[in-house]
Amino acid sequence: MLRSDPEGRLEDRLNARPHLITLADPLQLQSGAVLPDVQIACQSYGHLNEAQDNAVLVLHGLTSDQHAAGASSGPARKPGWWNAAIGPGKAIDTDRYFVIVPNVLGGAGGTTSPAAQNPSTGRPYGLSFPVITLADMAKMHAALLDALGIEQLHATIGGCLGGFQVLEMLAACPARTGKSVIISATARTSAHNTALWAVLRAALMSDPNWRGGDYYNGPGPSAGLGLLAMTGALFWMSRETLERRFGIAPVSGVPRYTMEPDFAVEQFLNSVKENASKGRLDANSLIYLTRAIDYFDLARDAGSLQLALKGVQNPVLLVSYASDWRYPVEEMAEIAKALPENVPHQHLTLESTMGHGAFLYEFESLRPALSEFLR
Amino acid sequence: MLRSDPEGRLEDRLNARPHLITLADPLQLQSGAVLPDVQIACQSYGHLNEAQDNAVLVLHGLTSDQHAAGASSGPARKPGWWNAAIGPGKAIDTDRYFVIVPNVLGGAGGTTSPAAQNPSTGRPYGLSFPVITLADMAKMHAALLDALGIEQLHATIGGCLGGFQVLEMLAACPARTGKSVIISATARTSAHNTALWAVLRAALMSDPNWRGGDYYNGPGPSAGLGLLAMTGALFWMSRETLERRFGIAPVSGVPRYTMEPDFAVEQFLNSVKENASKGRLDANSLIYLTRAIDYFDLARDAGSLQLALKGVQNPVLLVSYASDWRYPVEEMAEIAKALPENVPHQHLTLESTMGHGAFLYEFESLRPALSEFLR
């Protein structure tokens, strides 16, 4: 079932391979809608061993994609978002494990999303794409494993949106996930999150180039993406981080009393805006992924968190960052508490000034525990 | 010099009077620019006594105006923003004090602002309005007192942007301010604030109807104002407040898996957006007032906070709310520490779930201390 992209080539010593997998069966969604012709864009690193028991599934966060490691793959020629973690001899050791990173359902990396062609119209879905959920994403990952012929994973790892998906897999197919690593996550969204996503979606939709989601033949809502990224930056970074990094002194030392950028934090936000406007983010993808998070509540779907996690068998590593105020340590502790009693688990709380993004930008503190846990 | 607006009438038993004061001299701004023909829109409550020593100056926050008390004054027919505090027998007792509330320089209530006519073009200033600072606002208040013939105030009171202005008056004309009350404020802005204002200004400017600030003959950037208000709401309310108030359950009990509002917090933000789009906020005014805050740093202007406050003579009441993470208790404590040793002062920290807006929405806890302090 695994068909290599003909363009696929050995990118570097990581042996990164892009794959485009087409699911044989339509995907039945939690909403009741059915998604036909689901394609999954993946990247893999390392080699599947003969026993087929060394596969590690890595699930990416909201603004990432399947290009998790490697210097320059894909049209964007960007470094992998988790180069620090994935590679030969690294914590997720590609000499040892076969690492698979699928682009999430609804994602902007080539997996079926609002940018895909709606078979009933022959045009991109746009807002006619059905609302998807975290459970749908987990279901897609299970179908991907079927397609790859992998019965059981050695481990399943995810941070943020990826962590939510690991939890949904623990609820839906706990025997397949192997060891699981859940980073900077929670078992349910928050009203604050829902509010934030509403604001970010409103920023996108305020761009006239968004055109009700039907921007595929036009310039696209780059200004809306810029505004979204600026606003997001205010939440990813804590007040303390901003103070320490930028301060309040005018850049030239003396105030110029101007509407032009006169402070370092303004220049930073302008570059965030600029990069997002030109980057690989996709407006409709962000709209659907954030909407999926709005509906994320593992306890609601199963009756209780205990019931949702009752099938978990393998060891679980939970990782919180003390400064991650949007996904607080206490909510992760509730997951630990809800695991079946006999499941070995560890809840690690790390210090970092980077808050929610710490697992990406300050991987070093997580390395020893992750490396040890995966062996 | 005090000219009553001919439309002025006794609105209610508060005896609220609107005034429009024109300053005789141009206002020399901190930037070096000069603002001619400055008009100040005020409202007053109560009566100035013969000794002229019972005047209390109340300075409003970012999104308020001179209509601080009274049920229905002005074209917006909205209740006063500090009705809880100002009135006969209330903490700021209009049977006892002559309460003056000027609309801030650059404000949307009729004081000279970007909406005023630029005498050199005969058209509204828009972005040709000079950048103003907190020190400029304090200078305008001093000129207002001159125009009213009031040598010394009984008290000067302000929260948030109003609190910054009280501090600037303590630096510029400490002998005139009388007792001073500084609520939910700081002696300098923060990088987080500057970032937030940059994002909110970008939201306004993203509206095509903003038209580079020249929207006075068009429909105006109502969508941008809506987006600004939605984003702002995420900062005025803490994560905990949002959780407690809205939760994460879908409004109908079961998820509808829709892009339409399905959660209480979405409905709330939509109403915030709707109200702001139709309300009395003015885009250019917010742009200039937030820009003024970007330049606010009492220590920078004077050399140090101690030097800025060295002339303070009269008692000072500082009020913090423990949940106000944007203007933390520690920053207010620095003001207390910087006051001259012989100045009687009190730093009150109150509990509230309302954070920064607590002095407006939960006035009760502040009432006894404020009432006592003013006597």
Side-chain angles (χ1 to χ4, degrees):
Chain A
M1 218 21 238
L2 191 151
R3 303 184 223 144
S4 268
D5 181 334
E7 294 292 306
R9 58 198 180 280
L10 300 185
E11 295 280 10
D12 49 35
R13 73 187 190 102
L14 244 189
N15 192 21
R17 283 179 301 270
H19 310 278
L20 195 59
I21 317 277
T22 304
L23 296 184
D25 298 319
L27 200 62
Q28 289 275 350
L29 302 178
Q30 201 172 9
S31 67
V34 175
L35 211 48
D37 308 328
V38 172
Q39 285 201 321
I40 308 171
C42 302
Q43 231 169 90
S44 70
Y45 310 90
H47 298 279
L48 190 60
N49 64 14
E50 280 196 29
Q52 305 210 328
D53 64 1
N54 72 330
V56 171
L57 185 69
V58 173
L59 303 174
H60 66 76
L62 183 62
T63 55
S64 310
D65 60 21
Q66 67 273 30
H67 183 46
S72 58
S73 178
R77 318 296 295 172
K78 285 224 179 179
W81 55 266
W82 223 13
N83 265 333
I86 302 170
K90 297 187 181 175
I92 305 174
D93 187 349
T94 51
D95 289 338
R96 187 184 290 258
Y97 308 118
F98 175 58
V99 180
I100 313 161
V101 190
N103 185 219
V104 70
L105 180 64
T111 293
T112 296
S113 79
Q117 187 179 288
N118 181 344
S120 69
T121 65
R123 305 190 55 244
Y125 279 105
L127 284 203
S128 75
F129 197 69
V131 166
I132 53 176
T133 66
L134 270 296
D136 296 332
M137 297 172 191
K139 198 171 191 176
M140 186 196 83
H141 297 314
L144 170 68
L145 295 180
D146 291 343
L148 295 175
I150 294 170
E151 189 49 43
Q152 203 197 345
L153 293 160
H154 173 67
T156 309
I157 306 173
C160 181
L161 182 70
F164 308 160
Q165 292 166 63
V166 176
L167 282 161
E168 290 283 4
M169 290 186 74
L170 284 177
C173 51
R176 297 189 84 162
T177 54
K179 297 177 178 183
S180 55
V181 182
I182 298 159
I183 308 166
S184 303
T186 173
R188 62 168 185 281
T189 193
S190 63
H192 185 272
N193 252 352
T194 304
L196 173 59
W197 304 142
V199 166
L200 296 187
R201 288 194 296 262
L204 288 174
M205 294 175 175
S206 74
D207 187 331
N209 285 338
W210 179 66
R211 298 195 302 184
D214 187 17
Y215 53 78
Y216 299 100
N217 293 316
S222 58
L225 285 167
L227 194 52
L228 171 142
M230 278 180 95
T231 309
L234 261 174
F235 289 90
W236 318 152
M237 299 177 77
S238 71
R239 184 178 189 273
E240 290 65 34
T241 304
L242 287 166
E243 296 313 303
R244 197 166 324 116
R245 185 159 163 193
F246 301 109
I248 61 164
V251 279
S252 63
V254 291
R256 293 191 297 124
Y257 302 113
T258 171
M259 285 289 171
E260 296 299 310
D262 205 9
F263 301 95
V265 70
E266 286 185 287
Q267 296 178 333
F268 165 74
L269 287 174
N270 277 354
S271 73
V272 165
K273 186 173 154 181
E274 193 91 346
N275 289 339
S277 298
K278 294 185 301 195
R280 54 185 166 169
L281 295 173
D282 177 68
N284 285 347
S285 175
L286 289 170
I287 287 169
Y288 277 84
L289 296 183
T290 56
R291 194 54 171 167
I293 301 175
D294 289 349
Y295 285 108
F296 178 55
D297 181 358
L298 212 57
R300 183 177 64 226
D301 290 346
S304 77
L305 197 51
Q306 279 77 5
L307 286 173
L309 299 174
K310 70 178 192 301
V312 179
Q313 302 160 7
N314 298 307
V316 178
L317 174 62
L318 304 165
V319 182
S320 298
Y321 290 89
S323 59
D324 184 1
W325 61 277
R326 290 178 53 232
Y327 296 98
V329 177
E330 304 80 53
E331 292 187 8
M332 193 68 101
E334 289 175 31
I335 299 174
K337 217 173 133 189
L339 288 169
E341 269 188 22
N342 57 337
V343 170
H345 67 272
Q346 189 189 351
H347 180 190
L348 206 63
T349 298
L350 300 174
E351 298 297 324
S352 165
T353 60
M354 300 299 291
H356 189 56
F359 71 103
L360 299 174
Y361 305 116
E362 288 183 6
F363 178 68
E364 205 48 49
S365 60
L366 174 54
R367 183 194 308 278
L370 180 60
S371 183
E372 172 72 22
F373 179 77
L374 291 180
R375 292 198 178 208
Chain B
M1 224 10 242
L2 190 149
R3 303 186 224 143
S4 270
D5 180 333
E7 293 293 305
R9 59 196 179 283
L10 301 184
E11 293 280 11
D12 48 36
R13 73 187 190 103
L14 243 189
N15 192 21
R17 282 179 301 268
H19 311 279
L20 196 60
I21 317 278
T22 304
L23 296 184
D25 297 321
L27 200 62
Q28 289 275 349
L29 302 179
Q30 200 172 12
S31 67
V34 175
L35 209 48
D37 308 327
V38 173
Q39 285 200 322
I40 308 170
C42 301
Q43 231 169 91
S44 69
Y45 310 90
H47 299 277
L48 189 61
N49 63 14
E50 280 197 29
Q52 305 209 330
D53 64 1
N54 72 330
V56 172
L57 185 67
V58 173
L59 302 174
H60 66 77
L62 182 63
T63 55
S64 311
D65 60 21
Q66 67 273 29
H67 182 46
S72 57
S73 177
R77 318 296 297 173
K78 285 224 180 178
W81 55 267
W82 223 13
N83 264 334
I86 302 170
K90 296 186 181 177
I92 305 174
D93 187 349
T94 51
D95 289 339
R96 187 184 290 257
Y97 308 119
F98 175 59
V99 180
I100 312 161
V101 189
N103 185 221
V104 70
L105 180 64
T111 292
T112 296
S113 80
Q117 187 178 287
N118 180 344
S120 70
T121 65
R123 304 191 55 243
Y125 279 105
L127 284 202
S128 74
F129 197 70
V131 167
I132 53 176
T133 66
L134 270 295
D136 296 331
M137 297 172 192
K139 199 172 191 175
M140 185 196 84
H141 297 315
L144 170 68
L145 296 180
D146 291 343
L148 295 175
I150 295 170
E151 189 48 44
Q152 203 198 345
L153 292 160
H154 173 68
T156 308
I157 306 173
C160 181
L161 181 70
F164 308 160
Q165 292 167 63
V166 176
L167 282 161
E168 290 283 5
M169 290 186 74
L170 285 177
C173 51
R176 295 189 85 164
T177 55
K179 298 177 178 183
S180 55
V181 183
I182 298 160
I183 308 165
S184 303
T186 173
R188 61 168 185 280
T189 192
S190 63
H192 185 273
N193 251 353
T194 304
L196 173 59
W197 304 142
V199 167
L200 296 187
R201 287 193 297 261
L204 287 174
M205 294 175 175
S206 75
D207 187 332
N209 284 338
W210 179 66
R211 299 194 301 182
D214 188 17
Y215 54 78
Y216 298 100
N217 293 316
S222 57
L225 285 167
L227 194 52
L228 170 143
M230 277 180 96
T231 309
L234 261 174
F235 289 91
W236 317 154
M237 298 175 78
S238 72
R239 186 177 189 273
E240 291 65 34
T241 303
L242 286 166
E243 296 315 302
R244 198 166 325 116
R245 186 159 161 193
F246 300 110
I248 62 163
V251 279
S252 63
V254 291
R256 292 190 298 124
Y257 302 115
T258 170
M259 285 290 172
E260 297 298 311
D262 205 9
F263 301 95
V265 71
E266 286 184 287
Q267 297 179 332
F268 165 74
L269 287 174
N270 277 354
S271 73
V272 165
K273 186 174 156 182
E274 192 92 345
N275 290 338
S277 299
K278 296 185 301 196
R280 54 187 167 169
L281 295 173
D282 177 69
N284 285 347
S285 174
L286 288 170
I287 287 169
Y288 276 84
L289 295 183
T290 57
R291 193 55 170 166
I293 300 175
D294 290 348
Y295 285 107
F296 178 55
D297 181 358
L298 212 57
R300 183 176 66 226
D301 291 346
S304 76
L305 197 51
Q306 279 76 5
L307 285 173
L309 299 175
K310 70 177 193 300
V312 179
Q313 304 160 6
N314 298 307
V316 179
L317 173 63
L318 304 166
V319 182
S320 298
Y321 289 89
S323 58
D324 184 0
W325 62 276
R326 291 179 52 231
Y327 298 97
V329 176
E330 303 79 56
E331 293 188 8
M332 192 69 101
E334 289 175 31
I335 300 174
K337 217 173 134 189
L339 288 168
E341 269 187 24
N342 58 338
V343 170
H345 68 271
Q346 188 189 353
H347 180 191
L348 206 63
T349 298
L350 301 173
E351 298 298 325
S352 165
T353 60
M354 300 299 293
H356 188 55
F359 71 102
L360 299 174
Y361 305 116
E362 289 183 4
F363 178 68
E364 203 50 47
S365 61
L366 173 54
R367 183 194 309 276
L370 180 59
S371 181
E372 172 71 22
F373 179 78
L374 291 180
R375 294 200 175 207

